[in-house]
Amino acid sequence: MRPRLFLGGSWAEPEGGFYDVVDPATEGSVGAAPEASPEQARAACAAAREAFGPWSRTAPEERAAILGRAARLIRDRLVPYAELARAETGATTATARGMQVGVAAARFQRYARVEPAEWAVPPQINEAGPMGRAGVMGALAVRQPVGVVACISSYNNPWANAAGKIAPALAMGNTVVVKPAPQDPLSVYRMAEVLEAAGVPPGVVNVVSGASVEVGEAVVASEDVDMVSFTGSTAVGRRIAEVCGRGMKRQLMELGGKGAAVVFDDADLGSAVAGIGTTFSFYSGQICTAPTRVLAQRGVYDRLVEQLAAYARRLKVGDPREPDTVVGPVISAAHRERVEAYVETGRKEGAVVVTGGERPPLERGFYVGPTLLADCANDMTVAREEIFGPVVAVIPFDEEDEGIALANDSDYGLIDYVWSGDVARAFRVARRLRAGGVGVNTVGRNMEAPFGGFKRSGVGRDVGSYALHAYSEVQSIVWPG
């Protein structure tokens, strides 16, 4: 059965027909996705606008109950949903279950927890107010929903990324129009089915997909949209920001990354190699938080390169359905060629390909072997630009200040990492890094900590309570005490 667009609480036939969603592991068809017309995209925004008033006035407890039911439904259907996610994205089965569908359920459950939407401001004594009388002024700060939020999600994790936008936006009383990535929109339609079954009123959630850029452009430009929450490339984010600027729309942008991993001589190399090695295995490097740019102090440089190469060579590349597969395919043939072109550019600019750099001998699928580039310099293309694949570039440095300077010499600033046996030094270095987040001796994340980037890595912060701030406006109410 072909999915249809979800508009105003109804499932509508797409005016643009359908297009194939391709399994990056087999190159076969996963299914047909609906192609919305720009008019249908604008209709979705209008439906969200109409639904906003009643939904924003719904009790927070009622909104939370719907999100909780959605979380339970996703968990109940984890296996078939994960199989679809695996087929659409090329993620391994374990990743699809745990980090895609599992995280989506956790995010809906997280925002099923009602948090205070108002807080008292300390009273202020005014010597003379507008009426010429002194007095005490009380104040209350209140979170109000922004309005209609356009949620534009990324292809690397359609479940967790979309849920991370939809759930806090709904919890705050906003309505949403979701535009999933064209490569893997089918999972987002399953999410819409779950939300409908959980009791979301008509028009509160709308989903429109399309392979053409006109669909997303129509959503972003709609006068009914008050905010755009986007995850994707910096180049696309800039274009969206230009449109938002003209309409004074709120923005939440999670854009590209080129994470620096600063490894000092006294680091636990086993921990550093395992952490950096996630670039090869986690989503096949298609993740903006990956530590793709390794800055290794001279005393540990040779050993780190040797151990990273050995680690990469042990990883099984292949069918993501197999339980022992660690590295699946990248999302498309075009993206595979893009990653391979970066590796070739690295060679031409003087980098040494220690391991990888060749297409794995598999008959089908868009596979890129884990690739380690050594003897890199920070001005090389492979060190400057986001590759978004299983490629790590290693750059040597001598002193602490040099390592910090190299880490900060980047257009990006999403998440950096520091490995050192001296925890005091690691935290000192972390405070000097121009990045929205820093992992100290870990690549793990605390999902209540603010997430977002400096520089060209984005605008705003989300996850945890920070997402509730991101999807709300703060209103002050003042009165004489």
Side-chain angles (χ1 to χ4, degrees):
M1 178 179 171
R2 290 178 169 180
R4 293 170 293 168
L5 306 172
F6 192 50
L7 306 177
S10 299
W11 296 91
E13 289 294 327
E15 293 177 352
F18 295 85
Y19 67 94
D20 269 341
V21 175
V22 176
D23 184 332
T26 66
E27 303 184 40
S29 175
V30 179
E35 179 78 38
S37 66
E39 291 74 18
Q40 287 180 308
R42 287 187 282 270
C45 299
R49 169 61 63 200
E50 184 177 353
F52 170 66
W55 177 249
S56 66
R57 294 188 294 271
T58 300
E61 292 78 9
E62 185 175 340
R63 298 197 297 259
I66 291 172
L67 297 178
R69 288 195 292 271
R72 291 190 292 275
L73 287 169
I74 292 171
R75 290 194 183 101
D76 289 344
R77 305 169 187 178
L78 185 146
V79 172
Y81 285 171
E83 177 59 23
L84 175 60
R86 182 213 57 74
E88 283 195 289
T89 67
T92 63
T93 297
T95 296
R97 290 185 180 185
M99 300 306 298
Q100 295 199 14
V101 181
V103 169
R107 287 182 168 172
F108 278 107
Q109 190 62 56
R110 162 64 181 84
Y111 295 106
R113 186 172 76 209
V114 178
E115 294 190 15
E118 58 185 48
W119 59 98
V121 177
Q124 178 179 327
I125 300 175
N126 293 333
E127 292 188 6
M131 305 301 292
R133 296 193 299 270
V136 178
M137 300 301 294
L140 190 69
V142 181
R143 285 200 198 114
Q144 297 279 18
V146 178
V148 176
V149 180
C151 301
I152 305 177
S153 58
S154 59
Y155 73 72
N156 60 345
N157 195 330
W159 277 94
N161 189 256
K165 299 176 185 299
I166 296 169
L170 296 185
M172 277 308 308
N174 301 284
T175 55
V176 299
V177 178
V178 187
K179 166 57 176 68
Q183 297 92 334
D184 46 19
L186 303 181
S187 289
V188 180
Y189 282 107
R190 300 289 83 75
M191 195 180 300
E193 291 174 355
V194 161
L195 287 163
E196 182 185 33
V200 166
V204 171
V205 174
N206 306 270
V207 182
V208 289
S209 59
S212 67
V213 298
E214 286 80 6
V215 178
E217 288 175 346
V219 171
V220 171
S222 170
E223 293 184 358
D224 288 312
V225 168
D226 301 292
M227 174 180 175
V228 177
S229 176
F230 171 72
T231 300
S233 72
T234 298
V236 176
R238 280 174 163 173
R239 295 200 294 272
I240 290 174
E242 290 174 0
V243 176
C244 290
R246 290 194 293 270
M248 296 300 292
K249 297 180 182 183
R250 188 81 168 271
Q251 301 170 52
L252 180 59
M253 298 277 185
E254 195 239 302
L255 307 178
K258 193 67 181 177
V262 185
V263 183
F264 287 101
D265 287 345
D266 61 352
D268 178 338
L269 278 192
S271 172
V273 168
I276 295 163
T278 60
T279 302
F280 302 132
S281 58
F282 197 48
Y283 298 126
S284 301
Q286 299 169 111
I287 184 165
C288 53
T289 58
T292 59
R293 187 170 53 111
V294 178
L295 307 174
Q297 201 165 20
R298 294 279 182 186
V300 77
Y301 178 85
D302 289 337
R303 284 183 292 145
L304 182 63
V305 169
E306 179 183 351
Q307 291 185 32
L308 278 172
Y311 183 95
R313 293 185 186 112
R314 289 196 299 268
L315 303 178
K316 179 187 173 183
V317 182
D319 188 340
R321 293 170 295 187
E322 297 296 330
D324 58 343
T325 294
V326 180
V327 183
V330 296
I331 194 67
S332 66
H335 189 57
R336 175 178 60 185
E337 292 173 3
R338 178 178 181 272
V339 174
E340 291 172 338
Y342 270 113
V343 174
E344 184 57 31
T345 297
R347 277 197 181 102
K348 291 177 179 177
E349 293 182 354
V352 175
V353 181
V354 181
T355 189
E358 297 179 354
R359 190 172 295 186
L362 299 166
E363 291 184 4
R364 293 185 180 278
F366 310 128
Y367 293 96
V368 176
T371 301
L372 181 66
L373 305 177
D375 297 342
C376 297
N378 212 43
D379 60 354
M380 289 181 177
T381 303
V382 292
R384 306 300 302 177
E385 298 182 12
E386 186 177 37
I387 298 173
F388 223 59
V391 180
V392 170
V394 189
I395 302 164
F397 74 93
D398 291 301
E399 301 300 326
E400 179 179 308
D401 284 348
E402 181 190 4
I404 294 168
L406 288 170
N408 288 334
D409 182 17
S410 174
D411 293 334
Y412 298 102
L414 187 57
I415 294 189
D416 286 345
Y417 304 88
V418 181
W419 270 275
S420 173
D422 183 343
V423 175
R425 173 167 72 169
F427 274 84
R428 179 178 71 241
V429 170
R431 294 291 294 269
R432 293 179 62 189
L433 296 177
R434 297 290 296 165
V438 181
V440 172
N441 294 326
T442 183
V443 293
R445 282 177 57 194
N446 181 325
M447 296 309 295
E448 289 297 315
F451 180 74
F454 289 10
K455 299 182 278 188
R456 296 182 186 177
S457 285
V459 177
R461 297 293 181 271
D462 69 353
V463 308
S465 295
Y466 297 91
L468 298 176
H469 286 280
Y471 293 100
S472 63
E473 298 280 13
V474 178
Q475 178 188 63
S476 60
I477 302 175
V478 181
W479 64 91

